[in-house]
């Protein structure tokens, strides 16, 4: 592993604060939209272990500085390491990140994520399985990984598959952006609080001398505001979403969307079609298979599967889409990648299935997640 990919020239990338009964974890790379680096994940893991053992700690608060909660993992750093011949760094990074996601989701201390701003990819992995997911008028959620040849990962096949109907397929295949109101409407978030009230909420939570979820929920509800969906929100058209995204294949979904678009000028449908046509065909098919299986899996199993698929991508086992997508979208900014295979019909089920199998490398093993007494049950009540 190349050690310079682990170096942290930026000090204080995560801040940790103690406040009465609460412990705050504050992502502090605002100039990079709080994207996660290896050392940040390591620091959070170390502190989380301490907090869980401390009987004085009753709850955890997770938030980000600036206009983002967290826009994802440091994909640029991972791709640079792959290009220099170190795909194992990406695997190590990802193993640590997924382990953190799982430990937060199964934490013995209730976790309150204050999602005030952008939350994408790795940021969703940190927050979407927390017990309380507080959003504001500034919140923007998306899982646009297909645009760079990746796929909605970090347990997305677990939490997206538990949304009503086929909303999860819609979000994962199109990378559609949701505001805080829409996140409440579909169940991705638990509370809507105006950003001006967040500090007051934090102070109130810090004084809660109990880990009882109903007590914490009551405190947050005291600061909550009513939501209001925009007239053009796709969530006013759930019937159409379910009709189109319930199809068995990506090709059928796209065909249904095109039929709907022909029947009327629906802006969200046009955007969905455009996004799917510009994403990696392989990524779309991987995600549709993943979310279908995720409906009947535990979070732990979804994360283990994510790790296997990502390792294949980083290792370039079957194609170079993650490298090509990152080149076009992240390094050269805004270019259209040349995907291989280039069309949906060229991506066979057999080709997709390979990504779900063991990586053929002597040093590789399946992701091992620690045994936890407190299983991830955050989403059970939403079903």
């Amino acid at each position: 592993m190349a050690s310079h990919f682990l170096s942290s020239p930026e000090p204080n990338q995560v801040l940790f604060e103690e406040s009465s009964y609460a412990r705050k974890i504050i992502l502090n790379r605002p100039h990079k939209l709080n994207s996660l680096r290896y050392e940040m994940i390591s620091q959070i893991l170390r502190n989380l272990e301490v907090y869980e053992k401390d009987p004085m700690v009753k709850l955890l608060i997770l938030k980000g500085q600036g206009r983002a909660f967290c826009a994802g993992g440091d994909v640029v750093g991972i791709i640079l390491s792959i290009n220099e011949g170190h795909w194992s760094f990406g695997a190590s990074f990802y193993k640590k990140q997924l382990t953190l996601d799982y430990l937060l989701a199964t934490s013995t201390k209730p976790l309150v994520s204050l999602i005030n701003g952008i939350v994408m990819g790795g940021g969703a992995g940190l927050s979407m399985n927390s017990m309380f997911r507080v959003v504001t008028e500034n919140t923007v959620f998306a899982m646009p990984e297909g645009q760079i040849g990746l796929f909605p990962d970090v347990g997305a096949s677990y939490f997206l598959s538990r949304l009503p109907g086929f909303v999860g397929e819609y979000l994962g295949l199109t990378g559609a952006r949701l505001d805080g109101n829409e996140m409440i409407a579909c169940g991705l978030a638990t509370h809507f609080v105006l950003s001006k009230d967040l500090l007051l909420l934090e102070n109130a939570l810090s004084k809660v001398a109990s880990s009882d979820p109903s007590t914490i929920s009551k405190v947050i509800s005291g600061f909550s505001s009513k939501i209001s969906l925009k007239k053009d929100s796709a969530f006013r058209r759930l019937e159409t979403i379910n009709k189109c995204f319930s199809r068995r294949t990506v090709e059928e979904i796209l065909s249904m969307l095109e039929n709907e678009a022909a029947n009327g000028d629906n802006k969200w449908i046009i955007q969905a079609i455009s996004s799917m046509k510009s994403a990696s065909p392989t990524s779309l098919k991987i995600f549709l298979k993943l979310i279908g299986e995720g409906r009947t899996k535990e979070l732990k199993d979804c994360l283990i599967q994510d790790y296997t698929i990502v390792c294949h991508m980083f290792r370039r086992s079957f194609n170079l889409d993650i490298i090509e997508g990152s080149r076009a979208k992240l390094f050269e900014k805004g270019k259209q990648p040349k995907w291989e295979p280039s069309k949906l019909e060229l991506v066979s089920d057999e080709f997709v299935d390979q990504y779900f199998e063991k990586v053929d490398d002597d040093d590789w093993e399946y992701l091992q997640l620690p045994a936890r007494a407190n299983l991830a049950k955050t989403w059970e009540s939403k079903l």
Side-chain angles (χ1 to χ4, degrees):
M1 186 186 299
S3 60
H4 65 278
F5 294 117
L6 302 179
S7 62
S8 298
E10 309 166 38
N12 303 319
Q13 296 175 75
V14 188
L15 305 176
F16 300 94
E17 294 182 1
E18 297 185 9
S19 184
S20 300
Y21 299 99
R23 296 295 179 268
K24 298 177 186 178
I25 302 168
I26 306 166
L27 306 177
N28 189 39
R29 295 184 78 213
H31 61 295
K32 293 291 186 182
L33 302 180
N34 295 321
S35 62
L36 295 169
R37 301 185 77 236
Y38 189 94
E39 184 53 34
M40 293 170 71
I41 297 167
S42 300
Q43 288 175 352
I44 298 172
L45 281 169
R46 287 194 293 269
N47 280 270
L48 183 62
E49 185 178 3
V50 173
Y51 298 157
E52 290 201 331
K53 291 177 180 176
D54 188 344
M56 287 298 294
V57 178
K58 301 303 180 186
L59 63 94
L60 307 176
I61 297 172
L62 177 62
K63 66 176 188 174
Q65 299 278 51
R67 65 189 183 92
F69 171 80
C70 173
D74 183 18
V75 178
V76 169
I78 290 172
I79 298 302
L80 286 173
S81 71
I82 293 171
N83 288 339
E84 291 187 16
H86 302 285
W87 80 271
S88 59
F89 167 70
S92 298
F93 182 108
Y94 206 68
K95 181 183 293 185
K96 194 171 280 277
Q97 181 176 333
L98 294 182
T99 301
L100 175 59
D101 293 340
Y102 186 64
L103 293 181
L104 288 172
T106 56
S107 174
T108 56
K109 314 287 181 171
L111 174 62
V112 181
S113 292
L114 302 180
I115 310 167
N116 182 33
I118 298 164
V119 56
M120 296 182 181
L126 292 179
S127 59
M128 286 300 111
N129 289 306
S130 56
M131 187 174 290
F132 301 101
R133 304 176 296 281
V134 180
V135 293
T136 75
E137 74 280 7
N138 300 324
T139 306
V140 179
F141 169 93
M143 298 293 284
E145 290 82 357
Q147 298 294 322
I148 61 165
L150 198 53
F151 63 97
D153 51 356
V154 293
S157 61
Y158 177 79
F159 61 78
L160 291 184
S161 70
R162 280 151 177 79
L163 300 183
F166 293 86
V167 168
E169 277 83 350
Y170 163 61
L171 295 176
L173 291 171
T174 68
R177 295 189 172 206
L178 304 187
D179 61 25
N181 295 286
E182 291 169 320
M183 291 178 71
I184 292 286
C186 74
L188 271 175
T190 59
H191 297 79
F192 185 93
V193 175
L194 293 173
S195 58
K196 68 179 180 64
D197 296 327
L198 277 184
L199 191 55
L200 293 171
L201 170 60
E202 269 189 62
N203 292 336
L205 286 171
S206 297
K207 296 168 186 170
V208 177
S210 168
S211 292
D212 178 51
S214 60
T215 302
I216 297 168
S217 182
K218 188 180 291 186
V219 171
I220 302 173
S221 295
F223 294 87
S224 296
S225 296
K226 291 183 178 178
I227 67 163
S228 175
L229 284 178
K230 295 174 184 174
K231 285 184 179 179
D232 62 349
S233 170
F235 288 93
R236 293 189 181 276
R237 300 163 181 82
L238 287 177
E239 188 178 332
T240 304
I241 287 177
N242 289 334
K243 183 168 131 183
C244 295
F245 287 89
S246 59
R247 302 297 154 170
R248 191 181 64 83
T249 68
V250 180
E251 290 93 329
E252 290 174 289
I253 291 171
L254 204 45
S255 177
M256 288 293 294
L257 286 169
E258 288 173 334
N259 288 341
E260 289 293 323
N263 295 331
D265 184 23
N266 290 306
K267 185 179 176 184
W268 75 270
I269 294 180
I270 302 296
Q271 289 175 334
I273 293 169
S274 174
S275 177
M276 288 178 68
K277 286 187 172 180
S278 63
S280 158
T282 301
S283 297
L284 295 180
K285 291 205 170 184
I286 284 173
F287 176 71
L288 190 60
K289 178 179 169 71
L290 261 180
I291 193 170
E293 294 182 355
R295 277 186 164 80
T296 57
K297 285 184 175 181
E298 297 295 333
L299 173 61
K300 184 175 186 177
D301 298 317
C302 291
L303 293 171
I304 290 169
Q305 187 65 79
D306 284 348
Y307 178 72
T308 300
I309 297 170
V310 162
C311 284
H312 277 303
M313 289 184 167
F314 290 168
R315 188 172 174 267
R316 297 167 284 192
S317 299
F318 312 115
N319 72 12
L320 303 177
D321 276 8
I322 180 65
I323 306 300
E324 171 62 11
S326 298
R327 176 198 65 77
K329 297 292 185 180
L330 302 179
F331 292 94
E332 296 183 14
K333 307 286 185 185
K335 299 287 179 68
Q336 180 54 38
K338 294 180 174 63
W339 307 120
E340 188 59 44
S342 59
K343 296 178 181 178
L344 286 168
E345 55 267 30
L346 298 176
V347 183
S348 67
D349 290 345
E350 292 75 21
F351 183 75
V352 171
D353 290 345
Q354 295 177 104
Y355 283 90
F356 288 71
E357 301 299 328
K358 186 178 188 295
V359 175
D360 185 16
D361 188 293
D362 291 340
D363 296 326
W364 189 87
E365 59 179 26
Y366 287 103
L367 176 65
Q368 304 289 319
L369 292 170
R372 301 282 275 178
N374 191 38
L375 297 178
K377 296 291 184 186
T378 308
W379 288 92
E380 298 306 315
S381 61
K382 307 292 186 295
L383 289 169

